[in-house]
Amino acid sequence: MPCGQGRHIVRWEAGALRLPSHPDPEAELVLAALGGERARCVELAEAWGRHTEDLSVLAIGPRGPADEIAVSWDDVDAAAQGQRGGWIGYRPLPGGPGGGPMRLASPSIPTAARSQARRLQDVQDRERTARRRNDMLSLLALGYGFQVRLIGQVAQAYADRLDEATETATETVEAVDRVDGVDRVDGVDGVDGVTPALVAAIAGRLAPVAEEWLGIDPDQVVVSLHRGPGWGSVELTGRGQQRRLRVSLPPGWLARVWPAGLALTGRNLVVAVERAGWPDARVLALCAPGTEPVPLEVHASQPGPVSGGLEVRPSAADAPHWEV
Amino acid sequence: MNREGAETFLRLAAEAELRGQLAPAPPPWAGSLGAGRIKVMVVGRALTAVGALDGGTVESILADLDLAVGVRQISGPPSRGLGRGVAGTVPPGILSRVTASATAVARQTAQIRFGPPGSLARAGRAARSQPAGITGSPEPAEPEPADDGPDRGAADRFVPVGLTVPFHDEGISGDLYLMSFAHTGSGARFIAVWGLYTPTRQLRLGLRHPDLIPFELFTVADDRGARYDLDFTPGDGPEWTSEISLRPTPPDDVRWLDVAAPLSPAVRIDLGQGGSPANGEPDVSEAKLSRGEHLLIMLAEWLLTVAPDFSHDLRRGLAAPSPGMLQAMTAALGDIIAALEAADVLSPLSPVPARLAALCASLRIGGHGIAAPPTDDLPERWLSLLAHYQRRKPDTASVRDGYAAAAAALPELDGIRLALLGLHNTEGMSYLHVLAQGMTAEQAGPLGVDLDFPLSVWLRDSGGRWHAARPAGWHGAGPRSREYAVRLRLVPPLPQSTTWVEVLAGGRSAEVRTTLPLRWGFPS
């Protein structure tokens, strides 16, 4: 990535983003705080850190190799400078039809102080939105290989928390509130409201895989979140329009299987990784819905961008191809 | 209520929308991104309306969807698609496509909700007045608890007046027609209509500026000799309705008021008669609607009342061109129903979706996505309105301008107490004026549904025909008050031959019916 007057390598390794060209980023941050220039690589690492537990990453990031998001560093610069403001999606103007909350209902005449506070709030909202957008663009500009790893990192963060919550709930039965057929785990920080985002994230990435696996319409894939021991379940029910592929997978699938490009390996749906490794690994995989998964030894036949060099940005085409 | 189910549904809906937009060759029914986004937003607002989601969550999901689409548009459409691009990983039927321009749909929805631009411009004249449906904070639509504040009390008094006060002053002359008197914790006021017949034709036709009326020269005195000033609050509608407050507020037990205009004798208003429905106390019956059913009924009634705003011919026997814009706006109905079921606020066994489907069929609206087959079991009032639309020779006689005195207080419905304060015909339209206590002007609802006024109000005229009432404007009694003067537009307009009306107000928990005799007055 461009940094200062040159280009630097950024590496994701063993679950963390690394900056080989900046051996002591913390010291650089101290210097920057004292008035020095902030290195772009360091800024990027900060942005990465800000979003490793951001569920929005799951909603925005790629759904698979067919969904490559090509953001260039020029795009990032343009957005930061406001040269292309407005191109990045849109938010309707407040008060417009379909817009966000409108605040015209108060029958009282707004005071000057209230108006000023509202303007200040608007400015802060815009700044927050711009920073989030710029963060996200920078992270996407790293390329597909980094994008999927960030998704995996976010998923892993919540998988760990949910595991912890489930363990706590198992130990303290009262903590589990089963309402309307849905297990809710309360009282554990950071897991409230996580399930919907994880379900949508898995669904969005599993549906194209399922279509390739079985030829099923993505509309007919129904996903739920598996909690507790075991790998989950995959069942095919109904016929015709009522046909459904009902899949229950743990959030760990999004952390360990999907980012590695293992989801569909040799016509098998991989549901878990038993032994991680490169280029050989062992996974649990289903050859068909309704069956029990079997261990498979898999091998990455086409390694990633081993050519290296400063001009390489890991794209979807560089994703590993696994074979049984 | 299953809030997790509700959020999951909406996130999956957004996911499906993204997948559909990213298909290598989007199907022709995919519509624009805006159309799909609006649909996600409408479903989100429905879930907010029933309290299953908070507005922040909906905004967050939409913001993520916007950014997800935006970053993918930087380098054009993807070379390969994500799946087949037909909706997504959501329950069947979700997010069926629409073809209309999202912008046009949004604009049309806004116009239906807020009225045509002309009425907005007029509404802007009134500083304290707001057009109906200008809404704010998307907080859940929990029924408001009873308000024990100063707005509510035993002193509430609603009196039908039905008197004309003529006035003359320096070339200005006209009539002030007092429909009713309302005295609550927020103050005392008349609901009135002004008519000017001098000095110029132009003044009559449009330049009815309230500054021309000599309010300061009016005098008001009570039975004890106390005198009052008048505060004028213009209405927000096309006609010159207004609220005239008394300052200071008279005592609760004042017996009469003398209102005198310049150069005219005083007119005595007897405040001892009180609101008296023709058949005594209002009838109250239990309703037991779920939150989802209540919302769908409000949507259905919205649909019934906006149908005449479209130019297509709804009459039976004619070719049935698809009402495109209406169809586009109703394309999310099936999704809304599925979302309400996911949130456990609508039973899969509820008869309301089938009725909504039947209503759409009667209005020749397709593409709504409602899975339930239409039913013949429609409420009598819906059928009455549909019959009006489908009549080969619909009422063509213009509705004569007039105003009817009426006043009655209804029992509390879902935290809101309504007082009926008069009827008003003008420019071919009819309005029912009510005072709503306990109302919060805060919520944005799906499509044109006004969640600030979460009641279903209908009138049956003395000829047996039903008229739906939907909010057309309101203004509040004060910054901290939860009391609002609400103007409800009647569809279809009320014929001048109406001698009494039965008013039906329905909430989630109960329905209230009362019958009111009407005393019509007509402008000279």
Side-chain angles (χ1 to χ4, degrees):
Chain A
M1 62 172 288
C3 183
Q5 301 302 313
R7 296 174 73 83
H8 288 168
I9 288 177
V10 177
R11 177 174 293 138
W12 188 91
E13 182 178 293
L17 193 75
R18 301 183 189 282
L19 307 176
S21 305
H22 300 268
D24 193 354
E26 289 186 6
E28 290 193 38
L29 283 174
V30 172
L31 288 175
L34 296 174
E37 190 178 351
R38 291 169 72 89
R40 194 170 190 178
C41 285
V42 177
E43 285 184 342
L44 181 91
E46 284 185 297
W48 185 281
R50 279 195 291 271
H51 294 277
T52 51
E53 296 183 3
D54 178 5
L55 290 168
S56 290
V57 167
L58 308 182
I60 296 165
R63 269 55 173 174
D67 179 30
E68 184 160 8
I69 302 171
V71 176
S72 71
W73 292 105
D74 288 342
D75 293 325
V76 178
D77 291 340
Q81 293 163 15
Q83 292 172 354
R84 296 174 65 179
W87 57 263
I88 190 97
Y90 62 89
R91 283 178 77 86
L93 292 172
M102 294 175 273
R103 299 284 181 187
L104 299 177
S106 170
S108 62
I109 299 171
T111 62
R114 201 178 306 162
S115 298
Q116 191 174 357
R118 192 174 300 164
R119 278 197 296 274
L120 183 63
Q121 182 66 41
D122 286 346
V123 169
Q124 289 173 342
D125 286 348
R126 276 199 294 272
E127 286 176 353
R128 201 164 28 242
T129 301
R131 175 166 147 167
R132 174 174 171 273
R133 178 196 62 186
N134 294 341
D135 271 6
M136 208 59 75
L137 281 176
S138 298
L139 297 171
L140 292 170
L142 287 170
Y144 183 82
F146 285 91
Q147 294 166 11
V148 297
R149 280 158 179 81
L150 181 58
I151 288 169
Q153 208 164 329
V154 172
Q156 187 61 51
Y158 286 98
D160 292 343
R161 289 186 194 177
L162 285 169
D163 285 347
E164 180 192 345
T166 304
E167 283 173 19
T168 306
T170 305
E171 292 166 5
T172 313
V173 177
E174 297 78 35
V176 178
D177 177 19
R178 187 167 180 84
V179 180
D180 303 326
V182 177
D183 280 335
R184 302 168 196 280
V185 181
D186 298 324
V188 180
D189 290 341
V191 298
D192 289 345
V194 167
T195 301
L198 290 174
V199 167
I202 294 175
R205 290 162 180 86
L206 182 73
V209 172
E211 183 183 25
E212 195 179 341
W213 184 37
L214 302 172
I216 192 168
D217 190 317
D219 234 0
Q220 297 178 313
V221 180
V222 179
V223 169
S224 60
L225 203 61
H226 176 76
R227 304 271 287 275
W231 62 272
S233 62
V234 177
E235 293 177 354
L236 195 59
T237 62
R239 290 170 178 271
Q241 292 295 314
Q242 302 305 315
R243 191 181 184 215
R244 298 286 180 273
L245 181 67
R246 300 184 186 279
V247 181
S248 181
L249 288 172
W253 182 85
L254 199 55
R256 292 166 59 83
V257 176
W258 180 84
L262 281 162
L264 192 63
T265 301
R267 306 300 303 166
N268 297 283
L269 180 71
V270 176
V271 295
V273 175
E274 280 197 334
R275 190 194 68 237
W278 178 267
D280 297 305
R282 188 166 66 199
V283 300
L284 273 181
L286 300 172
C287 60
T291 61
E292 281 300 308
V294 296
L296 290 180
E297 298 290 339
V298 294
H299 177 79
S301 62
Q302 293 177 7
V306 292
S307 53
L310 293 181
E311 299 305 320
V312 172
R313 187 171 64 166
S315 71
D318 298 314
H321 177 72
W322 296 88
E323 291 179 345
V324 178
Chain B
M1 187 179 299
N2 184 352
R3 291 183 169 81
E4 192 171 280
E7 184 180 339
T8 302
F9 186 95
L10 194 64
R11 287 188 179 278
L12 289 174
E15 190 68 38
E17 181 52 36
L18 179 66
R19 187 197 315 281
Q21 291 299 326
L22 297 177
W29 59 87
S32 63
L33 164 69
R37 185 191 191 275
I38 285 176
K39 207 182 278 192
V40 175
M41 182 192 70
V42 166
V43 172
R45 284 195 173 176
L47 291 169
T48 305
V50 296
L53 281 185
D54 64 87
T57 301
V58 175
E59 285 299 310
S60 168
I61 291 169
L62 286 171
D64 284 352
L65 175 61
D66 291 342
L67 198 48
V69 173
V71 296
R72 285 162 173 82
Q73 288 174 338
I74 293 174
S75 55
S79 56
R80 288 177 287 168
L82 282 178
R84 288 178 183 159
V86 187
T89 317
V90 289
I94 191 168
L95 293 179
S96 53
R97 302 296 173 209
V98 293
T99 54
S101 153
T103 307
V105 173
R107 189 183 305 121
Q108 188 72 22
T109 304
Q111 285 183 359
I112 286 169
R113 206 165 166 213
F114 302 147
S119 67
L120 268 182
R122 279 187 288 269
R125 181 186 64 188
R128 286 193 289 157
S129 168
Q130 295 292 349
I134 290 186
T135 53
S137 145
E139 293 301 314
E142 294 291 336
E144 294 294 335
D147 184 353
D148 297 326
D151 282 1
R152 304 182 77 106
D156 289 357
R157 189 182 195 186
F158 306 103
V159 181
V161 178
L163 291 174
T164 302
V165 181
F167 60 88
H168 312 276
D169 179 60
E170 295 181 358
I172 297 283
S173 61
D175 287 333
L176 164 64
Y177 184 83
L178 301 175
M179 285 192 284
S180 56
F181 174 80
H183 188 175
T184 68
S186 296
R189 78 287 257 170
F190 292 106
I191 306 300
V193 180
W194 294 92
L196 288 179
Y197 37 87
T198 56
T200 64
R201 185 171 180 273
Q202 285 77 10
L203 191 64
R204 280 196 200 187
L205 291 177
L207 302 176
R208 297 171 169 180
H209 199 286
D211 290 345
L212 295 172
I213 300 173
F215 293 104
E216 69 283 0
L217 299 180
F218 278 69
T219 61
V220 181
D222 68 14
D223 56 316
R224 299 167 193 177
R227 301 180 74 83
Y228 303 93
D229 290 329
L230 296 178
D231 279 342
F232 177 75
T233 304
D236 57 358
E239 179 56 24
W240 214 350
T241 53
S242 57
E243 190 178 298
I244 301 169
S245 302
L246 298 180
R247 183 164 42 84
T249 301
D252 292 344
D253 56 351
V254 62
R255 289 185 295 135
W256 49 257
L257 292 168
D258 275 346
V259 179
L263 305 176
S264 299
V267 173
R268 177 156 296 180
I269 296 158
D270 179 7
L271 300 180
Q273 50 190 316
S276 54
N279 58 350
E281 290 300 307
D283 291 332
V284 181
S285 55
E286 202 173 35
K288 282 189 177 175
L289 293 173
S290 70
R291 290 169 188 271
E293 286 176 322
H294 184 53
L295 180 68
L296 292 183
I297 288 171
M298 293 191 67
L299 279 168
E301 293 178 356
W302 166 80
L303 203 53
L304 273 167
T305 54
V306 301
D309 293 340
F310 295 88
S311 59
H312 61 275
D313 200 333
L314 295 167
R315 278 176 277 164
R316 183 181 297 159
L318 299 180
S322 178
M325 193 62 74
L326 199 54
Q327 177 171 319
M329 288 191 294
T330 53
L333 286 177
D335 304 320
I336 289 174
I337 290 168
L340 296 175
E341 289 180 355
D344 286 350
V345 292
L346 179 70
S347 164
L349 302 177
S350 168
V352 179
R355 290 176 186 159
L356 195 51
L359 184 61
C360 288
S362 297
L363 295 173
R364 305 182 193 287
I365 298 169
H368 47 68
I370 301 174
T375 176
D376 294 334
D377 177 29
L378 292 186
E380 177 198 341
R381 46 192 183 270
W382 292 14
L383 291 170
S384 172
L385 208 49
L386 288 171
H388 168 78
Y389 293 149
Q390 293 169 348
R391 207 165 289 140
R392 281 190 181 278
K393 291 185 178 178
D395 299 332
T396 52
S398 60
V399 176
R400 183 182 174 191
D401 284 5
Y403 10 81
L410 302 183
E412 182 175 302
L413 280 170
D414 299 345
I416 295 177
R417 288 202 307 173
L418 284 187
L420 313 174
L421 296 176
L423 285 149
H424 179 206
N425 280 351
T426 181
E427 297 178 7
M429 289 184 277
S430 298
Y431 297 96
L432 170 67
H433 296 271
V434 302
L435 193 71
Q437 295 173 295
M439 186 175 131
T440 52
E442 292 289 322
Q443 299 181 64
L447 301 174
V449 171
D450 209 320
L451 298 175
D452 297 322
F453 189 80
L455 300 179
S456 162
V457 179
W458 289 78
L459 267 70
R460 186 166 63 92
D461 64 32
S462 45
R465 283 177 293 189
W466 284 93
H467 306 258
R470 65 175 164 117
W474 69 62
H475 57 263
R480 291 185 182 81
S481 174
R482 293 172 61 197
E483 184 174 295
Y484 290 82
V486 183
R487 186 168 54 91
L488 301 169
R489 182 181 162 190
L490 301 181
V491 180
L494 205 60
Q496 62 192 47
S497 57
T498 305
T499 54
W500 55 264
V501 290
E502 180 189 30
V503 180
L504 166 66
R508 277 186 57 212
S509 57
E511 277 188 357
V512 178
R513 289 173 189 259
T514 191
T515 303
L516 294 172
L518 298 183
R519 283 188 297 171
W520 286 97
F522 299 99
S524 46

